[in-house]
Amino acid sequence: EVQLVESGGGLVQAGGSLRLSCAASGFTFDDYAIGWFRQAPGKEREGVSCVSNNDGSTWYADSVKGRFTISSDNAKNTVYLQIDSLKPEDTAVYYCARRRLPLLGVILREYEYDVWGQGTQVTVSS
């Protein structure tokens, strides 16, 4: 069964850090990229970052550059999203999703991602 499972969310004070994990199973990890998306209450889901599991290339939305770091551990079939200097506006449900390589066009276009995790809640208090 193809599956993505997020973990690592929680309640944290502004300025703190979290590391989210996305554990993949049921498919050839190296053939895909993993993207992270988030959806805040009352807002549309937005893409924040993506990593190619083949060559480690990374992409970030402008809104998170400098604070978010994505990485891939191919030995563990797991992708991490390190979030530093958390802000209240980072509060959202964070989802990971897979996209077949090679990546063409807009990297964080939602409909290009075919399998999604259940999400993990990140809440940042001020």
Side-chain angles (χ1 to χ4, degrees):
E1 179 188 2
V2 176
Q3 200 171 14
L4 297 172
V5 179
E6 302 96 334
S7 61
L11 173 63
V12 64
Q13 288 190 332
S17 298
L18 278 176
R19 189 177 78 159
L20 307 183
S21 299
C22 174
S25 61
F27 61 95
T28 303
F29 195 65
D30 291 2
D31 289 345
Y32 289 84
I34 298 294
W36 282 96
F37 297 77
R38 65 183 180 183
Q39 187 165 24
K43 295 188 177 181
E44 291 188 355
R45 189 158 57 188
E46 65 168 338
V48 296
S49 187
C50 179
V51 61
S52 165
N53 296 327
N54 179 259
D55 64 8
S57 298
T58 59
W59 295 264
Y60 296 94
D62 288 342
S63 58
V64 304
K65 281 181 181 176
R67 295 192 302 119
F68 286 30
T69 305
I70 193 169
S71 61
S72 181
D73 186 336
N74 289 44
K76 296 182 178 180
N77 283 5
T78 300
V79 169
Y80 303 99
L81 186 68
Q82 176 72 33
I83 309 175
D84 297 318
S85 303
L86 276 156
K87 305 175 181 180
E89 51 264 44
D90 293 320
T91 295
V93 178
Y94 284 71
Y95 301 89
C96 64
R98 75 169 195 181
R99 178 176 170 177
R100 184 89 184 188
L101 294 171
L103 301 181
L104 302 173
V106 178
I107 301 301
L108 292 168
R109 187 157 47 196
E110 282 193 41
Y111 69 77
E112 302 279 10
Y113 292 78
D114 65 345
V115 176
W116 293 73
Q118 82 289 350
T120 186
Q121 176 71 48
V122 172
T123 303
V124 184
S125 63
S126 57

